[in-house]
Every structure is written in structure tokens, then in C-alpha cells.
Amino acid sequence: MAATSPETLTLEGGADLKRALRRTERRRRLGAFSLTVPLLLFVLVFFFLPLFKMFWLSIANPTIPEYMPHTVQALRDWSPSTPVPEAAYKAVAEDLKHARADHTFGRIAKRLNEEQPGSFTLINKTAMRISRVDHGPWKAALIKIDKAWGEKPIWRLLKRQSAPFTADFYLASLDMKYNQQGQIVQKPVYDRVYVPLFIRTFWMSAVITLLTVLLGYPLAYWLTALPDRTSNLLMICVLLPFWTSLLVRTTSWIVLLQGHGVINNVLVWAHIIGDQHRLKLIYNQFGTIVAMTQVLLPFMILPLYSVMRGISPSYLRAGISLGAHPARAFWKIYMPLTLPGIGAGGLLVFILSIGYYITPELVGGQSGQFISNMIVYNVQQSLNWGLAAALGTLLTGAALVFYLIYNRLVGAGKVSLG
Amino acid sequence: MKINLPPYAGPAQWLWYFGFRGFCIMVLIFLMLPLLIIIPLSFTSTPYFVFTHKMLTLDPAGYSLRWYHHLFTDPSWMHAIRNSFIIAPIATLIATILGTLAALGLSRSHMPLKQFISSLLILPMVVPLIITATAVFFYFSSLHLVNTYIGIIIVHSILGIPFVVITVTATLAGFDYQLVRASQSMGASPWYTFFKVTMPLVMPGIISGALFAFMTSFDEVVVVMFLAGPEQRTLPLQMWVNLRYNINPTILAIATLIILLSVVMLLTLELLRRRNARMRGLE
């Protein structure tokens, strides 16, 4: 009865106007959305799926379930406080015989060794010798090959590794491990690698961010105060480095800072330091901080500059004319107005710097390395992809937290690009 | 620059005035120093990264084009330059087309989930490069896209996309849709309107986004390090290898040429910005 109701307007053909409008609206929304579909799909398939796969690798633990299925089965109901049943010994013997025939025992050995050093030899040795034994009792046979089979730790490890998912890689990323009793403990101090590296990455990034504020703020202020012609000219000095290849700039810092580099040579030439006492300016934290500050400084100056340009100088003049000392007027009036710029630039610099790889790798030496250098090491050299994935996921999480703050503060997509 | 101090300024004001400007100039020098050092040093005649006595006394014998000559005759450098000029333009093209389309959609008032989708599209810029490289390496190794041109091109387009989306959205933010209506009311077809009215106004944004995307790909080394075999080695990777293993001043020569390229890009961007402002009657 809608057509006869007085509140409802009808179109000529008798169609409901509201519905027609809704349909048009829906079509328009669909039209706008469909323009973004190709890009969304592209980004989904080639960016978000890889990230998801990395997260997957950081928790997946397929080795033991795949290559030692009988052991997994036999240990299902075993609890570490009870003696290991003969069935489990039989299962291990069977699985390792298969693994030897399929040449997969190396993978088992590698995976177990990542969690408990020494397992590599144990598995290889057992896989070699057990093939020659064709009847039980298996417990005695295995213990004869290696006494370790008579003790709990290897069984606890196998039981733990039977699960298809694991927190092991995250434990390793946080410098923790299982002890002989199967409890989670911190690694001894000399063995901790990643937590100190995370801390170093964060505090060096904080120092770099602070330096960019200290150097960038006065410069951005000066650029806004200058007449347009001059400030445009000086702006080139900010934009040109911004546009110049990162590798080029890092190369240049090597030329400048190395032992026989430009700065040391100038200092020696000016007799400020002796030829024997050249300063060690590179391949340490100092080198990383100097080079990264220069590289990231434009990312601070550009947002600051755009915020400062929007602040009318009359506020400051009003404050001074009302009797405030210029310094006080600046601190109480101008500074608070520029806080969004400091926040935006600071977060941008910080987010970029916690993920830096190239500069620390080239100029950082041993003490100037970041967590990203260890991620690359685990991908390319130690081939522990699970650990690399866990470290990567943690770093991504940190970057995303700061991005969310940035979003709140500045708004998505409102990144100033100069 | 003339000194802009009142005649009654006291010593503290003088000190502040010059101290402040001195500090700012030092910061500018700090920013430019690496570029200013590299250019003269690339003309050295020795295989070392130092200013020799001959160079400092401006003796012509201290200078040479030796490293430029080496750059253009060495097959591995030439191969890397060629690779970069294959990968970067294709990646830029993909990023620009997809990014512009998406920005057109995002700037419509009817776009659903606008905030959410634009944050998603900006993410490739926020996630640390090393993570993108690692994740893509894991993912591509099961798709057999490692050691292929296509793999690198795909990731470089992903990295360039945020720049295109940002610049084009920003240009569209100031876009006056009355112009489109005016054109259509006078009988122009939607396509004609798009190419004759919308495109010329949005073009500066598209071009500057494309330039950013191009430079991102042209300068990118981490992803290439993971995904490239010897065949796909790009210019930045060649520079990286040179820095790590057999350092010689050829890298300074190519660095100088890249700085030159940056200057050209920067000038293009500035011209675009001025044109854009003029067309909107802001100047």
C-alpha cells in the first residue's frame, strides 16, 4: 500500500522515489569503489599476502609433524613426568629410518638443533646407525647409540616440536629459551642478542629523531621568516639531498668520515689532531647517527615548514606588544602551534629510522647495527627463516603502532612530500 | 641578505641574530656537504677517495675523466644502468596507472570506507623496507618469482603506489567539480570531459607522483638485494656491491650523474608546482 500512502512520492512509472535515489547512490558508491579495486587487489596479492605469509612462517612449525609423524602420534598422550613408553622409541626408530631413506633427516636435525644445540649430531648419528637395527627392543637400541635417548630433554623437545604451531621463534626473538626442565627462562646475559639490539634500534632512532628536531626546527623557522625568493633558493638545499639517492649520500659520508677521509684530513692539516690520532668517526654508532640524521633531516624539515607557513606572525607580535619577552612569547604562543609539525615529522623520522638497513650496514660497523641487519643475517646467512619472520613481525608491529599514532595526529594520506 | 636589526639593538640581540643565522647556515651546509664533496672528488685521477695534493692546488694533472670513462666502458656498470632503466619506468607506469585510478575513486564523495582504504594504500610506505623485502622474498620463493625481472617490477610498483595516491589525491582535493558539470552541461561526453578538463588539471599531481615513484624504484636496493640474480642487478645494487667488495671511485662518477638527475627532477617538480598554482589562479 506504499504507493497510496501520502508520505511516499512516486515517480512517473510508479517507482518509489526513495528507492530510486537509494539505487543511484548505491551505483555511485560502487562506481567510486570499482576505481580502487585494481589497486586494492594488486596491493592485497603482492603486499598483504606476503606480510601474512611472513607472520605465518613466524608461528608455523611443520618440520617434526611432517617428517616424524609416528613420533608425534606416539608422544600425543605422553606427559614429561612419566617414563617414555617403548612405543615412542619404536616410533622414533621408524621415523628416522624413513627419514634416512628419504634424505630428510638433515631437516629434522637442523630444526631440533635450532632449539637445542647438540641435537644435530644426535639425530644424524641415530639416523645413520638405527638403519642397521631391524628388531626391538628399541629403547635399548637407541640408548646404545646415544645416552641422550635415555634422558628427558630430547623427548621434551620432540613433544614440544610435535605441535604444528610454535612460539619458539618469538621466544628466540626475545632472548628466551626452554631450559632442561622445559620451563621458559631468559638466556644468560652473554647469549642475549636480540633484546639489546631492539633496545639499541629504538634509542638510536630516538636520538636521531631528537637531532632532526634540534637541527630542523630553527632552519624551518628561518625559512618561513625569510622573503619568498631567498627561502625558495635555500629550500633547494633541503630538497636536493631529499631527492638524492640514499646510497650516494651514504657513500659520501664514508668519504667524509673515514680514517683518511676529508674531515680527518682537514683536522690533521689544521694541526688540531696529530696524524697518529685520527678520530674514529665511522664504522661505529657515531657514524650511523651522523649519516642517518643527514639522510632523514628533510623528512623533519618539510612537515615543520608546512605547519609553520600556516601560522600568522601576528600572533607572536600580539604577544610581544602585550608585554611578553620575545623568548616567552615564542615559547608560549609559537611553539605550541608548531607541535603538530614536530609530532608529524618526529613520528615520520622515527618510523623510517627503526627500519633502516643500508646506512647502518655500510657505516655502522659492529656497534652501529640495527635489528634489520640481524633480520637480513637470518634470512641470508643462518637461513633461520622462522626467526627472521618473528623478528620482522615484531618490527612491523612497532612500526604500525607508531603509524596509528601518526594517523590520529595527522590523518591518513596527509603525508607532506614537499 | 641585508642585516635586519633595529639601530638600538644591544649586544645580546646582535649575538642572537648572528648566532641563529649562523646555526641555520651550518645546518644547510650539513645537508649539502655530502653532495658537494662527491662531485669534485669524482674527477680524481687516483683510485682513492681522498683529495690529493694535486687536486687541492688545482693542478690539472690531479683531475681526470678516468672514472667516467671506466663507468661507460665497464660491462657490469652498463648492464646495471640498462636494468635500472628497464625496471624503473615499467614499475612507474604500473604504479601511476593503478594509483591514479584509485585516487580518482578515493576523492569521490560517494567513496565508502575512504579513510580505511587510503590508510591501507599508504602502508607500503610505512612498513619498513626491510620487512617488505623479507616478506616478499619468502612469498616469491614459492611462486618462482625470485631472480626475475617481473618480481622486482611488481615490488617496485607497490613501493611507488603510495606516492602516486598521495600526490594525486592532494591535487584532486583542490579540484573544482563545477568545471566537470560545466563541461557536461555544454554537451561534452564524459570521456571528452575527462581528457580535456579533468586530466590537464590533475596532470601535475600525476607527474609528480610518477617522479616520486620513479626515484623510489631507481634508488631502491634492499628489495633488489633479495630478489635479483646477477642478471637483474640494478644500478643501486651494483653500487652496493662496489661499496662492499671492490671499492673504487667509479661509484663517485655514477653518484654525480645521479645527483644531476635529481636536479633535473627537482626542477621539473618545481615547474609543475608553479603551473598548478597558476592554473588555479593562486599566483
Side-chain angles (χ1 to χ4, degrees), chain A residues 131-328:
Chain A
S131 315
R132 285 184 239 126
V133 185
D134 40 13
H135 55 84
W138 299 103
K139 181 173 180 179
L142 280 170
I143 293 176
K144 201 180 152 211
I145 292 169
D146 197 310
K147 283 202 297 292
W149 290 109
E151 288 151 21
K152 285 283 168 64
I154 182 69
W155 292 102
R156 246 190 239 112
L157 179 62
L158 279 173
K159 166 104 182 160
R160 212 163 57 228
Q161 295 302 325
S162 301
F165 296 104
T166 178
D168 287 349
F169 299 120
Y170 285 96
L171 289 180
S173 310
L174 299 170
D175 286 334
M176 293 196 258
K177 61 169 186 185
Y178 288 95
N179 65 6
Q180 298 282 310
Q181 282 74 46
Q183 292 149 333
I184 297 173
V185 290
Q186 271 200 313
K187 283 186 182 168
V189 178
Y190 59 84
D191 221 11
R192 291 182 198 162
V193 182
Y194 298 112
V195 172
L197 208 52
F198 269 114
I199 294 173
R200 187 202 287 162
T201 303
F202 284 113
W203 84 252
M204 279 178 67
S205 300
V207 169
I208 290 161
T209 310
L210 189 71
L211 281 173
T212 58
V213 177
L214 291 180
L215 298 181
Y217 195 94
L219 182 59
Y221 179 71
W222 192 45
L223 286 176
T224 44
L226 282 173
D228 272 358
R229 276 192 91 79
T230 330
S231 85
N232 279 343
L233 205 66
L234 292 181
M235 206 57 187
I236 294 175
C237 300
V238 179
L239 287 173
L240 193 56
F242 179 71
W243 273 91
T244 303
S245 154
L246 171 67
L247 269 174
V248 169
R249 285 186 280 167
T250 308
T251 311
S252 191
W253 280 111
I254 299 176
V255 172
L256 279 161
L257 297 175
Q258 63 185 334
H260 283 268
V262 175
I263 291 178
N264 265 319
N265 279 351
V266 168
L267 290 176
V268 169
W269 173 78
H271 295 291
I272 296 172
I273 53 170
D275 202 7
Q276 305 307 311
H277 304 95
R278 286 170 179 270
L279 302 176
K280 194 156 169 32
L281 302 170
I282 200 173
Y283 308 123
N284 52 22
Q285 288 186 4
F286 181 81
T288 305
I289 289 178
V290 170
M292 281 181 65
T293 304
Q294 192 265 345
V295 168
L296 294 170
L297 191 50
F299 288 96
M300 176 55 98
I301 294 177
L302 295 175
L304 266 181
Y305 179 73
S306 76
V307 167
M308 286 176 175
R309 285 244 314 202
I311 301 173
S312 161
S314 54
Y315 296 146
L316 205 56
R317 260 182 258 140
I320 297 172
S321 77
L322 289 171
H325 185 270
R328 188 178 150 81

Side-chain angles (χ1 to χ4, degrees), chain A residues 319-380:
Chain A
I320 297 172
S321 77
L322 289 171
H325 185 270
R328 188 178 150 81
F330 181 84
W331 184 252
K332 286 282 180 190
I333 299 168
Y334 196 82
M335 226 288 289
L337 287 171
T338 58
L339 279 179
I342 299 180
L347 281 167
L348 199 60
V349 170
F350 190 80
I351 292 174
L352 287 172
S353 92
I354 55 175
Y356 249 56
Y357 168 71
I358 297 296
T359 310
E361 182 72 22
L362 284 176
V363 306
Q366 194 63 41
S367 70
Q369 300 274 297
F370 278 24
I371 196 73
S372 24
N373 304 84
M374 270 333 264
I375 296 180
V376 174
Y377 168 80
N378 276 315
V379 176
Q380 296 193 325

Side-chain angles (χ1 to χ4, degrees), chain A residues 373-404:
Chain A
N373 304 84
M374 270 333 264
I375 296 180
V376 174
Y377 168 80
N378 276 315
V379 176
Q380 296 193 325
Q381 268 145 57
S382 82
L383 300 180
N384 190 343
W385 286 13
L387 183 55
L391 291 169
T393 308
L394 289 175
L395 187 61
T396 314
L400 286 184
V401 167
F402 288 101
Y403 176 55
L404 285 180

Side-chain angles (χ1 to χ4, degrees), chain B residues 154-234:
Chain B
I154 288 173
V155 187
H156 278 186
S157 345
I158 294 272
L159 294 177
I161 278 164
F163 295 105
V164 180
V165 173
I166 289 172
T167 52
V168 179
T169 320
T171 319
L172 283 170
F175 184 73
D176 187 356
Y177 279 94
Q178 300 275 21
L179 295 173
V180 174
R181 272 176 227 136
S183 153
Q184 282 176 343
S185 77
M186 287 187 276
S189 72
W191 284 107
Y192 191 82
T193 308
F194 181 76
F195 282 110
K196 287 288 171 184
V197 180
T198 316
M199 274 291 263
L201 280 167
V202 180
M203 215 46 194
I206 298 179
I207 294 177
S208 58
L211 284 179
F212 273 106
F214 182 84
M215 281 315 264
T216 308
S217 166
F218 199 73
D219 186 24
E220 203 290 317
V221 60
V222 183
V223 170
V224 181
M225 228 165 68
F226 278 86
L227 293 185
E231 184 58 29
Q232 291 84 25
R233 184 179 283 184
T234 60

